[in-house]
Amino acid sequence: MAKRPRLPAGHDTLDQILFEQGFGARRECEGLICSGLVQVNGEVVDDPDAVFPQDRLALVVDGQPWVTHVKALVMLHKPAGYECSLKPGAWPGVHNLLPAPLRKRGLQPVGRLDQDTTGLLLMTDDGPLLHQLTSPKKNVPKVYEVTCKHPVTQLMCDQLLKGVVLDDDPEPVAAHAAERVGEGETVHLRLTLLQGKYHQVKRMVAAVGNRVEGLHRSAIGRLTLPEDLALGQWRWIEDPAIVLP
Ligand code: URA
């Protein structure tokens, strides 16, 4: 194999950049470039060895506008009927909602939402960031809008704040915040959790004698699901600091 020339830090050849962004095997990327199907900063570049910065490079690849991200962190407005599992069974996987290059890069969900839960889901191919965001020590607050079967009482909120015992752990687990939403008798509860235990909201709500009928995650850290991000749509997160505590 020909020796690759030494390149300035943070730079690479166009074929390698396309490959790492998930546009296919090296040969396929080279083919796209040589066929004149790749623009960089608005100009067609047909030399696979042309050197560019790797990050935040404005490409158009076969008609698809794409800004390169060396590490991908995206938010997804998860609809019901999708599984977060990497090997989904009964339901399609959330990765199906991402464009082909991100599917190829193997982004993983940051924590999981149940099949019937909607709302804010993060996905990344940045291993250390995934670890940071899912580490129980990091205490990233996650806000859930819960629709319950029965009216939510102040006593239930107080119990959730004080801590409830779940079936798999003798240590009580407490909500960071729990408030009734709406006037008078209401079935709406806003719950903020620092942990990410399996079915945690459903089990905590069951532990105080109610039942979850609908579940939506509205925020993670300082990031609130944008109102203009439609169900099933995704968007880049440019700075991970927004989801770190
Ligand atoms: N807690 C649950 O019970 N389900 C979710 O999807 C997320 C948190």
Side-chain angles (χ1 to χ4, degrees), residues 113-114 117 144 199-202 215:
L113 291 179
D114 297 335
T117 302
Y144 295 92
H199 289 333
Q200 189 173 343
V201 174
K202 290 174 182 166
L215 186 53

Side-chain angles (χ1 to χ4, degrees), residues 20 45 127 142 189 201 204 229:
E20 285 178 2
V45 177
K142 289 152 289 257
L189 165 71
V201 174
M204 287 181 77
L229 187 65

Side-chain angles (χ1 to χ4, degrees), residues 109-131:
V110 179
R112 290 188 178 188
L113 291 179
D114 297 335
Q115 168 279 121
D116 53 355
T117 302
T118 61
L120 182 59
L121 179 70
L122 307 182
M123 297 185 76
T124 186
D125 63 354
D126 184 336
L129 180 65
L130 180 68
H131 179 74

Side-chain angles (χ1 to χ4, degrees), residues 23-181:
F23 284 98
R26 278 197 182 74
R27 275 279 154 80
E28 292 172 89
C29 294
E30 215 178 285
L32 285 164
I33 299 165
C34 293
S35 312
L37 292 172
V38 178
Q39 291 177 25
V40 181
N41 299 326
E43 305 271 345
V44 171
V45 177
D46 61 4
D47 175 6
D49 293 327
V51 172
F52 292 99
Q54 294 163 294
D55 209 21
R56 305 310 197 257
L57 187 65
L59 304 176
V60 180
V61 182
D62 201 7
Q64 181 180 9
W66 193 263
V67 178
T68 61
H69 288 69
V70 168
K71 291 290 176 200
L73 174 65
V74 304
M75 61 177 109
L76 181 68
H77 187 167
K78 180 192 173 295
Y82 284 83
E83 282 183 28
C84 287
S85 163
L86 289 179
K87 288 198 182 123
W91 304 89
V94 283
H95 55 268
N96 285 296
L97 298 163
L98 298 177
L102 292 183
R103 289 205 299 276
K104 202 156 249 152
R105 283 169 69 170
L107 269 66
Q108 296 198 37
V110 179
R112 290 188 178 188
L113 291 179
D114 297 335
Q115 168 279 121
D116 53 355
T117 302
T118 61
L120 182 59
L121 179 70
L122 307 182
M123 297 185 76
T124 186
D125 63 354
D126 184 336
L129 180 65
L130 180 68
H131 179 74
Q132 256 191 310
L133 288 169
T134 49
S135 160
K137 291 193 200 111
K138 283 291 170 187
N139 285 343
V140 182
K142 289 152 289 257
V143 183
Y144 295 92
E145 312 297 331
V146 191
T147 306
C148 296
K149 184 174 171 76
H150 308 293
V152 179
T153 63
Q154 189 53 48
L155 177 63
M156 288 173 186
C157 293
D158 294 344
Q159 289 172 319
L160 290 165
L161 287 168
K162 198 159 161 240
V164 293
V165 174
L166 303 177
D167 44 14
D168 60 348
D169 193 350
E171 264 311 288
V173 54
H176 183 62
E179 53 173 324
R180 300 164 73 250
V181 180

